[in-house]
Amino acid sequence: MRAGRERPPPEAQATDRLTFGRPAPESSLTTPCSATYWTTQVRTRVSVVERERATGRGGGRPISLLLAAAVSFAATACREPRPSERVALRLGPGHFAAVRQAPHTAVAAIGEELREVPFTRDRETVARLTNLPPRDGVVRARLRIPGDLADLPTSAFVVSLQELSSPAQKVFASGLAAGLGWWTVRTGWRLHRHSRDRERAKLVVAVSPRDPAASFNLRLDAFRPVPDVLESEPFDLPAGARIEVGYGLSNAAHAAPGATTDFLATLRCRWRWATVLHCGRIDVRDPQARGWQLATTTIRLGARGCRLRLQLARSTRNAGDPLWSVPRVLAPDSRPEPQGAPNLVLISLDTLRADHVSGYGHFRPTTPAIDRLLIQGGTTFTDVSTTYPLTNFAHLSLFTAFYPAALPAKGTLEAHVPARTLAEALRDAGYATRAITEDVLVGTAYGLGWGFDGITEHHPADAPTRGVRVFHEGARYLRRHRHQRFFLFLHTYKVHSPYAPTAAYRSLFRDAHEVPEAVAAVVPQQYRDDFDRYDQSIREADDLVAEFVQKLDRLGLGRRTLVVLLSDHGEGFGEHGLPGHGFTAHQEALRVPLVFRGPGILAGRRVDTPVSLVDVAPTVLELLGLPPLPEVQGRSLGAALQGGSVPVRPIFFEWIGYATCGIRLGMFKLLRNRTSHSIYALSSDPSERRPLAAFSPTMFEAALHDYEIEGARRRQTLETSGAFTEEVHVSPETQQALHALGYVP
């Protein structure tokens, strides 16, 4: 029977452990985890609480306990799958009294995965230098380290660079995407400190400039170390709960060779001894140990007044940057299945314009699986506008239900900004939350990771493989978490430029005669090849979605999972002069698909009333029976999903430019900038070829005035809640992906 059980790979495996032997001492950790003094770890489901109550003391008899463990584990192997689980408690910063709190729980990265951490790591700028020329492939800088930071190990420091290669790049970096050019340097730098004066230092960074004439801006920052001991406030454990503890080592490349770090988690409830839940060791020489490690212990009987203690022991001061993830208490979900809140899967196909989805009327069969599995099985909104045809702004609107005028001007939701997100609402309602994205502008650097237990950020520099890892890992997540209530967010740049379908799809849609005259009249010949490759990429993305949704249905999750498919913005092919997106708000860049499928949602229904991406989060929360986000600008579309109607209201949007703003009032649309405006009647002119020259914008003025005043008020509230950083710092892989997608030169 055990042979038939699925077993995930080691890097993602959560194991139940029980520790036997002596209880943990009250003093700090001084003995290595490998010593028999600490533990004999057995894969089992025997409860620590059961052991304490059976023996009446902290120790117990090892032989009898091991025998009991073996019997219990054998019985567990034959048992039915465990009941549905919920996240009963997260021990975040608020549960550790000595930890400073922020509106959002901080996240930290190890490799490609980020997790919430139970502390806020203060980042302090040591030095900022500008216009440094490289010599022999190296940038050198002499600097002084403040006295209170001088004794930090090298692994506590972070180096960031910005390449200044041309006047155009400098203009770009100072305008729309100020800060996109900064990336964090993981390897290839050394900090040499004076032997007698630790404040004097020389920084040497290896660089590979794209332009031989380039210079660099440089920043050196320091993170204060994680406390060696974190102890939680008292909490209660429900019966049958599992405690999950995650830990790992960041910045291992700058640790001392052979350095090790021991991670000890102990639990003290209302009994005599603190009990070891897990003790793990990470050696910087072991590449397999450089990801996040997870350990889970089952507590069969409930307990009250428990405290979790997390301790670190380093073999040397420069042993890397040890991290704990937020510990979680997983408990059985006792609510009956029909009344239980369903799961949520949110799929964002970046850059997918609605009129290129065959279920929305495209002349090519680009999305047969989406049409069959989602559109025919759910409710489709046919007239959905993004809030901003740029990825980070649009996704921030999606997760916060705010229009761009109310969001921070940089399109970044920093830790101190008190804007609650959809993921945070679901996390606090007991959902396991996970994001698997392709990074770049949908990453934690822009505040899109708040509320997720874990985030995996793949880097889409290799265009043909985009989407593959996202959906395959998403399917694995479904299998491993099918017993929990979960929120899974999937994002891919599969249909983003440069369009690069794999060989199996390049022969599709190549017949020029199949292109209708109406399309040929508005798409210039120079963009026809891109037009075809774009459709081929959509067809390939459709197959990825199909495989994922079919996996969800085969696991029996379809009847209790809400699936939402959408895009952040569309894509132009010269219909109004410019290709791509961001610099225009015509329908090819603004109109996106939006489909809901799940329990209680009418199948095959189409809703034609204009709506916005800001309406998605309020709709999802209503469908899941959860309270709405506070003071949002979006409205729930729940009534339409049950057969009702959606009231017509003003829909707002913006785009790149000087004082740009647009509005939809029913089928009328206004595009306005500082010097001009255009008005279209989409009912008679869906391609926006004939602006209404004699039509006055008076009917839009009151709504636009209210939008701008309300947006300015909300933005001021957010931006005065704390000090904003001047740049967005990303990883080298993200910087490479930004270049591949055309966001930076």
Side-chain angles (χ1 to χ4, degrees):
M1 283 177 285
R2 291 179 58 185
R5 301 175 71 201
E6 295 180 355
R7 182 174 181 179
E11 65 270 15
Q13 185 174 338
T15 61
D16 294 324
R17 298 178 182 271
L18 177 64
T19 58
F20 301 105
R22 301 186 183 183
E26 292 298 320
S27 60
S28 61
L29 178 62
T30 57
T31 307
C33 287
S34 59
T36 56
Y37 175 86
W38 283 113
T39 61
T40 302
Q41 294 183 342
V42 180
R43 187 184 303 271
T44 182
R45 292 183 183 272
V46 173
S47 167
V48 174
V49 179
E50 285 180 339
R51 173 166 63 85
E52 295 290 352
R53 293 184 175 177
T55 62
R57 52 198 173 95
R61 297 181 180 179
I63 296 178
S64 61
L65 287 172
L66 285 170
L67 183 59
V71 172
S72 176
F73 180 66
T76 300
C78 302
R79 192 176 298 146
E80 291 294 321
R82 63 177 180 268
S84 295
E85 285 186 321
R86 61 185 176 90
V87 181
L89 179 66
R90 287 176 173 83
L91 299 176
H95 291 85
F96 294 89
V99 177
R100 179 174 60 85
Q101 296 188 60
H104 305 284
T105 302
V107 296
I110 299 180
E112 287 188 328
E113 184 177 8
L114 299 96
R115 287 184 167 268
E116 289 189 320
V117 292
F119 45 81
T120 300
R121 304 170 68 220
D122 293 325
R123 181 171 184 158
E124 300 188 28
T125 299
V126 176
R128 180 170 179 172
L129 305 170
T130 60
N131 203 28
L132 299 176
R135 296 178 181 175
D136 300 323
V138 172
V139 169
R140 296 178 174 86
R142 295 186 181 275
L143 47 89
R144 291 195 69 85
I145 301 175
D148 60 334
L149 303 176
D151 288 331
L152 291 178
T154 303
S155 57
F157 291 89
V158 177
V159 175
S160 301
L161 289 176
Q162 182 185 44
E163 182 176 350
L164 305 176
S165 57
S166 67
Q169 192 272 343
K170 295 177 183 179
V171 170
F172 187 86
S174 63
L176 157 72
L180 282 183
W182 287 90
W183 73 93
T184 301
V185 182
R186 291 203 187 109
T187 60
W189 62 269
R190 290 290 181 268
L191 184 64
H192 303 283
R193 283 180 273 191
H194 197 278
S195 58
R196 292 188 297 273
D197 183 0
R198 299 280 291 176
E199 296 184 21
R200 292 172 54 191
K202 181 172 69 172
L203 181 62
V204 180
V205 185
V207 295
S208 300
R210 290 190 294 269
D211 185 341
S215 60
F216 289 87
N217 292 340
L218 180 147
R219 270 184 62 161
L220 178 67
D221 297 298
F223 283 109
R224 295 193 180 273
V226 176
D228 285 345
V229 178
L230 290 172
E231 184 165 319
S232 75
E233 296 291 329
F235 62 94
D236 296 339
L237 280 172
R242 298 190 302 141
I243 300 179
E244 178 191 86
V245 178
Y247 60 93
L249 198 63
S250 178
N251 212 8
H254 294 279
T260 61
T261 301
D262 291 342
F263 297 79
L264 176 69
T266 58
L267 182 72
R268 174 187 287 278
C269 296
R270 291 180 178 174
W271 58 73
R272 182 179 178 185
W273 299 107
T275 305
V276 176
L277 296 180
H278 182 73
C279 195
R281 165 172 290 183
I282 293 182
D283 189 324
V284 298
R285 295 169 297 186
D286 181 7
Q288 296 298 321
R290 293 186 182 179
W292 284 101
Q293 311 296 310
L294 295 180
T296 307
T297 303
T298 299
I299 309 295
R300 286 284 181 81
L301 302 178
R304 301 180 65 85
C306 299
R307 293 178 183 267
L308 180 66
R309 187 180 179 91
L310 306 175
Q311 296 174 258
L312 300 171
R314 305 171 179 86
S315 63
T316 178
R317 291 184 68 255
N318 192 21
D321 190 6
L323 300 172
W324 295 99
S325 67
V326 168
R328 302 192 306 165
V329 177
L330 306 173
D333 192 349
S334 58
R335 294 186 300 178
E337 179 68 25
Q339 284 75 37
N343 306 311
L344 171 63
V345 172
L346 178 58
I347 302 173
S348 175
L349 299 179
D350 202 290
T351 321
L352 177 62
R353 54 189 275 185
D355 63 348
H356 276 241
V357 176
S358 51
Y360 277 73
H362 193 41
F363 64 91
R364 287 168 169 168
T366 51
T367 56
I370 291 174
D371 300 347
R372 183 181 73 258
L373 297 172
L374 298 179
I375 292 179
Q376 294 176 14
T379 295
T380 301
F381 291 85
T382 63
D383 194 353
V384 184
S385 296
T386 186
T387 61
Y388 202 112
L390 198 64
T391 298
N392 56 328
F393 280 101
H395 280 91
L396 283 177
S397 291
L398 171 67
F399 279 104
T400 65
F402 285 150
Y403 282 113
L407 292 168
K410 292 195 309 175
T412 302
L413 199 64
E414 299 189 18
H416 61 271
V417 178
R420 190 166 166 81
T421 70
L422 172 64
E424 289 172 318
L426 293 170
R427 176 201 63 191
D428 294 344
Y431 281 72
T433 56
R434 182 74 180 190
I436 306 173
T437 79
E438 288 185 331
D439 195 12
V440 191
L441 298 179
V442 185
T444 52
Y446 298 91
L448 290 167
W450 307 129
F452 289 103
D453 294 323
I455 309 106
T456 301
E457 296 181 343
H458 296 301
H459 307 291
D462 184 14
T465 64
R466 292 176 195 160
V468 175
R469 294 178 66 185
V470 168
F471 285 100
H472 286 181
E473 290 184 18
R476 287 199 297 269
Y477 183 89
L478 295 178
R479 185 176 66 250
R480 294 171 187 162
H481 295 80
R482 62 186 181 273
H483 301 292
Q484 298 179 3
R485 281 189 289 164
F486 62 80
F487 166 36
L488 175 62
F489 171 57
L490 303 178
H491 165 268
T492 176
Y493 288 105
K494 184 63 186 178
V495 302
H496 195 289
S497 63
Y499 319 112
T502 55
Y505 297 86
R506 292 176 196 155
S507 60
L508 300 176
F509 314 140
R510 301 299 297 175
D511 186 358
H513 298 289
E514 70 176 0
V515 179
E517 292 184 5
V519 174
V522 298
V523 177
Q525 187 65 41
Q526 67 193 88
Y527 300 120
R528 295 284 180 83
D529 286 343
D530 283 345
F531 187 95
D532 294 341
R533 284 194 294 267
Y534 179 72
D535 281 351
Q536 294 162 7
S537 299
I538 295 173
R539 181 64 183 83
E540 186 169 4
D542 181 73
D543 281 346
L544 295 174
V545 172
E547 183 180 357
F548 172 82
V549 174
Q550 289 167 353
K551 176 69 172 180
L552 181 143
D553 291 340
R554 286 196 301 270
L555 290 171
L557 293 171
R559 62 185 175 85
R560 54 188 176 95
T561 299
L562 172 63
V563 180
V564 183
L565 183 137
L566 49 77
S567 181
D568 55 343
H569 56 75
E571 185 83 330
F573 294 95
E575 292 92 338
H576 291 88
L578 290 174
H581 55 269
F583 294 92
T584 178
H586 288 289
Q587 290 296 89
E588 62 267 17
L590 204 71
R591 184 175 170 228
V592 296
L594 176 61
V595 184
F596 290 82
R597 191 201 80 169
I601 294 176
L602 293 178
R605 177 170 166 77
R606 301 176 75 87
V607 180
D608 298 327
T609 307
V611 298
S612 170
L613 279 187
V614 297
D615 301 327
V616 174
T619 304
V620 165
L621 292 174
E622 180 184 341
L623 292 175
L624 300 182
L626 299 176
L629 294 172
E631 299 184 4
V632 297
Q633 296 174 297
R635 297 182 183 179
S636 174
L637 308 174
L641 298 172
Q642 310 298 325
S645 61
V646 178
V648 176
R649 75 185 203 276
I651 301 295
F652 302 97
F653 49 89
E654 300 179 28
W655 64 99
I656 299 171
Y658 188 54
T660 61
C661 187
I663 183 173
R664 281 283 305 275
L665 279 176
M667 296 308 292
F668 289 97
K669 177 179 179 180
L670 169 72
L671 303 179
R672 188 193 70 180
N673 58 30
R674 178 69 72 181
T675 60
S676 63
H677 71 269
S678 301
I679 300 174
Y680 299 93
L682 297 180
S683 56
S684 58
D685 182 23
S687 299
E688 299 168 288
R689 315 305 296 181
R690 303 184 301 276
L692 303 175
F695 204 92
S696 171
T698 305
M699 63 179 291
F700 302 100
E701 288 177 355
L704 280 173
H705 179 266
D706 292 344
Y707 169 76
E708 291 169 346
I709 294 297
E710 178 66 10
R713 182 189 67 81
R714 292 173 181 264
R715 176 176 289 180
Q716 183 179 18
T717 301
L718 297 181
E719 292 188 339
T720 56
S721 300
F724 277 70
T725 59
E726 297 181 5
E727 307 94 8
V728 177
H729 294 251
V730 300
S731 68
E733 294 84 359
T734 299
Q735 180 69 10
Q736 182 182 5
L738 283 165
H739 176 69
L741 294 173
Y743 285 110
V744 297

